[in-house]
Amino acid sequence: MISPALAVQMPKAGDIIVRARALGVVPDEDATITGAVTGSQIDIDTSVVPEVDFSYFVTDNIALELIAAVTPHDVNTSTSSAGALDLGDVWLLPPTLTAQYHFTNFGQCKPYIGAGINYTVFFSEDKGTSVSSVDYDNSFGPALQAGIDYMIDDHWMVNADIKKIWINTDVSFNAGAIRADVDIDPWVVGIGVGYKF
């Protein structure tokens, strides 16, 4: 007689998961600009980057996740009385901590939802060719997510995840002659693999 296959061991309280994902960071930007180019719209390009995240299971269903990644973005104006302007580029470090609820009773699939906080640091600002200086304020805001892990065996899994992160920054160009209140508010879409310890 053939013995039934053993069930895959799902994550439980005390487990740690480390994931590596490819992220698509898609800004959903909106800006209010004052100064010489009042009425302009700011465009921030999409970025694709690698990411590492860590999850700790507090209970069988509740986990805390911290993501670590940096994303580069080009910044331009799409409409301006002065024509299209190159506003340079900037790097974002947006560590995000979420509390997740992981659903059970879905076999080897473990869907989850989460909510948390984000703190974004702007660095390596490049002023581009249209302004003489640029400065970004750091940002603090909420984050929501949903995702799913599919357990391949007791340790390895594949993962898909989507987050909405609210990022707002005050930007100063030309030593304050032009100012912008910018909502970046990206969608962050990831796919990758994970390992459960």
Side-chain angles (χ1 to χ4, degrees), residues 11-172:
K12 62 185 184 302
D15 285 346
I16 295 173
I17 293 175
V18 179
R19 300 183 189 87
R21 291 190 281 223
L23 291 187
V25 181
V26 185
D28 184 18
E29 67 271 34
D30 184 42
T32 301
I33 303 176
T34 58
V37 289
T38 298
S40 299
Q41 295 297 314
I42 284 184
D43 283 340
I44 304 171
D45 74 338
T46 295
S47 183
V48 178
V49 297
E51 173 252 30
V52 175
D53 67 85
F54 306 88
S55 293
Y56 174 74
F57 277 78
V58 181
T59 71
D60 290 354
N61 296 99
I62 297 174
L64 300 176
E65 180 193 80
L66 178 65
I67 69 168
V70 293
T71 67
H73 296 277
D74 292 326
V75 185
N76 299 276
T77 60
S78 57
T79 59
S80 166
S81 57
L85 301 177
D86 173 15
L87 301 180
D89 55 71
V90 64
W91 286 76
L92 279 63
L93 173 63
T96 302
L97 177 66
T98 55
Q100 304 169 332
Y101 184 84
H102 289 251
F103 298 91
T104 54
N105 301 321
F106 288 92
Q108 290 172 239
C109 293
K110 199 170 181 72
Y112 58 85
I113 55 174
I117 55 175
N118 162 266
Y119 184 74
T120 297
V121 176
F122 296 83
F123 66 100
S124 295
E125 299 99 328
D126 183 333
K127 61 184 178 60
T129 60
S130 299
V131 294
S132 60
S133 66
V134 61
D135 182 66
Y136 291 79
D137 288 346
N138 294 339
S139 169
F140 180 84
L144 295 175
Q145 76 176 141
I148 188 167
D149 289 312
Y150 178 80
M151 301 298 299
I152 299 170
D153 58 26
D154 289 349
H155 296 282
W156 288 100
M157 69 197 71
V158 292
N159 171 266
D161 182 276
I162 183 168
K163 293 181 177 70
K164 178 66 173 182
I165 302 176
W166 282 268
I167 300 174
N168 173 268
T169 180
D170 290 323
V171 190
S172 173

